[in-house]
Amino acid sequence: MIRDTTLSSFVHSGSPARIVFGRGSVQTVSAEVERLGCSRAVVLSTPHQHDEATRLLGTLGALGVGVVALAEMHTPTAVTARALIEVENFGADCIVAIGGGSTTGLGKAIAARTGLPQVVVPTTYAGSEVTPVLGETENGVKTTRRGPEILPETVVYDPDLTDSMPIELTVASGLNAMAHAVEGTYARDGSPIYTLTALEGLEALRDALPVLVREPDNQDARDRALYGAWLCGTVLGGVGMSVHHKLCHTLGGALDLPHAQTHAIMLPHTIGFIEESVPHALTDVAALFGGSAGAGLHDFAVDIGAPLRLADLGVTIEQLDLIADQATASPYWSPRPLDRDSIRSVLRDAHGGTRPNPRSESSS
């Protein structure tokens, strides 16, 4: 799969986490709580997934002490403060988070403040459950930090819980996961293991998502997509983020945009931006998507009916200036130097859904 076999110096370190994968594995959550030496688990969810959290609480028996259904997108610190009060009132010694990235984020925020161990049960392809990264929003600004206290101890991947995911969310969440892996292939602190993991995760999702668009009930494709999401998230957990995540975090924090859809829309444009300057960094990704990473990802998104335009999320042209200013004020590392005008152009193209130029066109 790897086309460029040239090796340079690298340092590799992995994030320790226990992974339980397979259909029906949600039934093992109580055993995983006990394995952590805990006996008073509180279940976290969004308000929308309160019923799922209540069902999971029921499987915990005497180990479960209650549900806190407060999680919101982008992990607002004000919500975390409210949730902390409820967790403390329950006398919890463990967090069980069921849902997507919003619930995982709340669990991480609580764990970072209390030291409570975490069991995460994903129901989307967010991937953040296997990262020591926490993104929090306060006063319209989203900031991220890393630390071992943030990484969940155990993740239970049960594809049964993804079978009912609406196809629109399936597609957007899958592309969100793919963004983690694509950035990992050119990360400053990447390694051969993370590159292999990224490409395997990308290939799994590339193959699974079109099948799910045609056959949403295809369990083999659901299994493969969740497997790919795990691998893509694992890459994000081990390497630093770049321009794609910076723009998505800025858009999400400033404008409160839906997380997965924002990643899906931005992915072809941010990768096309990098590819214009350092195409060799994306050779393997380009090979997976038809010879050009940015244009290939755009065509893939079109084929599976993914969201394509920031305008469709309610973003105005005038707001792009604010995002460009914020993103370049404190940029993440990037193999292509960032400047306000070029970032503003990336945002403009994403606003209108313009197809990125393939390398051969942009260089002619």
Side-chain angles (χ1 to χ4, degrees):
M1 183 184 297
I2 300 292
R3 294 170 60 191
D4 183 359
T5 58
T6 303
L7 286 176
S8 57
S9 300
F10 64 88
V11 174
H12 176 83
S13 59
S15 298
R18 176 176 168 85
I19 307 299
V20 181
F21 191 104
R23 290 190 173 270
S25 58
V26 69
Q27 299 301 321
T28 71
V29 172
S30 59
E32 296 301 324
V33 169
E34 289 183 319
R35 186 175 180 278
L36 292 171
C38 299
S39 59
R40 295 186 62 80
V42 64
V43 181
L44 304 182
S45 75
T46 62
H48 177 71
Q49 291 186 290
H50 185 278
D51 290 346
E52 290 176 72
T54 300
R55 285 194 293 272
L56 179 54
L57 179 69
T59 70
L60 297 179
L63 296 174
V65 295
V67 169
V68 177
L70 294 175
E72 293 184 12
M73 288 190 307
H74 310 301
T75 318
T77 55
V79 171
T80 299
R82 290 164 49 206
L84 274 168
I85 294 172
E86 294 199 26
V87 169
E88 291 170 357
N89 287 341
F90 279 124
D93 63 2
C94 176
I95 297 164
V96 176
I98 182 168
S102 298
T103 305
T104 298
L106 178 59
K108 288 178 170 183
I110 293 171
R113 290 162 170 79
T114 64
L116 293 179
Q118 306 171 72
V119 178
V120 182
V121 186
T123 61
T124 70
Y125 306 137
S128 56
E129 64 277 352
V130 283
T131 77
V133 180
L134 170 61
E136 299 180 285
T137 302
E138 187 170 11
N139 298 323
V141 177
K142 188 168 185 176
T143 58
T144 61
R145 58 188 170 108
R146 286 176 175 261
E149 73 282 0
I150 294 169
L151 181 71
E153 281 73 12
T154 304
V155 182
V156 177
Y157 285 108
D158 188 337
D160 284 342
L161 302 181
T162 69
D163 286 345
S164 60
M165 199 190 326
I167 194 60
E168 293 82 4
L169 180 57
T170 295
V171 166
S173 185
L175 285 166
N176 177 20
M178 293 169 76
H180 307 331
V182 175
E183 283 210 321
T185 63
Y186 61 81
R188 177 174 50 177
D189 50 358
S191 76
I193 290 296
Y194 284 130
T195 299
L196 286 166
T197 303
L199 295 174
E200 172 73 5
L202 287 169
E203 187 173 42
L205 283 158
R206 182 203 65 182
D207 294 345
L209 292 178
V211 175
L212 290 172
V213 170
R214 299 190 304 269
E215 308 169 42
D217 297 330
N218 188 306
Q219 291 193 338
D220 289 340
R222 288 285 181 190
D223 294 353
R224 186 118 180 104
L226 192 58
Y227 164 75
W230 164 49
L231 295 181
C232 292
T234 298
V235 174
L236 180 65
V239 304
M241 294 175 286
S242 189
V243 61
H244 172 83
H245 281 84
K246 179 61 182 182
L247 286 178
C248 290
H249 290 165
T250 305
L251 284 160
L255 306 180
D256 197 30
L257 301 184
H259 183 84
Q261 290 84 345
T262 303
H263 277 271
I265 291 168
M266 292 302 303
L267 180 58
H269 304 283
T270 55
I271 298 310
F273 169 79
I274 297 297
E275 188 177 29
E276 285 179 15
S277 179
V278 284
H280 64 276
L282 287 153
T283 299
D284 297 317
V285 176
L288 285 174
F289 292 95
S292 174
L297 284 163
H298 175 85
D299 295 344
F300 179 74
V302 170
D303 289 344
I304 61 175
L308 300 174
R309 307 191 319 150
L310 289 176
D312 294 334
L313 302 184
V315 178
T316 67
I317 287 289
E318 292 74 22
Q319 288 173 322
L320 301 183
D321 290 318
L322 167 68
I323 302 305
D325 290 340
Q326 287 191 5
T328 52
S330 56
Y332 297 167
W333 174 86
S334 169
R336 176 178 176 177
L338 305 185
D339 63 86
R340 187 195 180 282
D341 288 346
S342 62
I343 290 302
R344 179 62 172 73
S345 295
V346 170
L347 291 165
R348 179 201 63 212
D349 290 345
H351 186 266
T354 303
R355 181 179 187 264
N357 285 329
R359 292 200 305 269
S360 59
E361 295 177 13
S362 60
S363 61
S364 60

